[in-house]
Amino acid sequence: FLTCSIKGCSADMVAQFIASKREHREEEDRRMQELEDHPFHTMVKKATRGGELSSELEGRHKFNIDWSRSLVFILYGGLYQGMAQEFIYNRVLPIFGTGTDMKTVARKVAVDM
């Protein structure tokens, strides 16, 4: 249970971080485009000495964890991928045979699907 819970939650944390970083980058691009579309763009650029404003806009990206989503992945990883799959593969599928011949494998695949 614990191993699969940690793996499920860790994978989700990586996915949350990547999505958050993508959203942050899109927001930065949108704000930079608004500045470039501004009628006084050249004045703004001169006033900021060419790069201070853009570096100020980039800033540090703050990553917020969605704890309810993480809890769901902890439970899914532990209960289904850990406990249920252990039961299915070690208790149920051996009922259909233990060999690796084509007929036994076809039965196990059909039950697993």
Side-chain angles (χ1 to χ4, degrees), residues 3-109:
T3 302
C4 291
S5 294
I6 291 170
K7 286 181 176 183
C9 184
S10 298
D12 181 56
M13 291 284 186
V14 170
Q16 284 186 48
F17 179 77
I18 291 170
S20 175
K21 193 143 182 135
R22 184 181 322 117
E23 290 170 7
H24 179 71
R25 192 177 323 113
E26 289 170 357
E27 176 65 21
E28 277 182 358
D29 291 345
R30 186 190 61 74
R31 291 193 304 187
M32 288 303 290
Q33 188 62 44
E34 286 176 1
L35 281 177
E36 289 174 5
D37 292 345
H38 195 275
F40 300 110
H41 172 65
T42 54
M43 291 175 65
V44 169
K45 202 170 188 179
K46 286 179 185 173
T48 60
R49 289 181 228 123
E52 288 178 23
L53 184 62
S54 63
S55 63
E56 190 178 295
L57 282 175
E58 289 173 8
R60 293 278 292 158
H61 163 242
K62 184 161 176 21
F63 171 54
N64 295 319
I65 298 172
D66 183 351
W67 290 107
S68 60
R69 177 176 158 167
S70 296
L71 177 63
V72 168
F73 273 90
I74 287 170
L75 293 174
Y76 171 77
L79 295 175
Y80 179 71
Q81 290 182 328
M83 297 171 70
Q85 290 294 325
E86 192 279 331
F87 179 78
I88 291 168
Y89 283 98
N90 295 325
R91 304 285 191 274
V92 175
L93 291 181
I95 294 171
F96 298 97
T98 57
T100 56
D101 59 286
M102 191 62 133
K103 190 176 175 181
T104 302
V105 171
R107 273 187 277 164
K108 286 182 177 184
V109 169

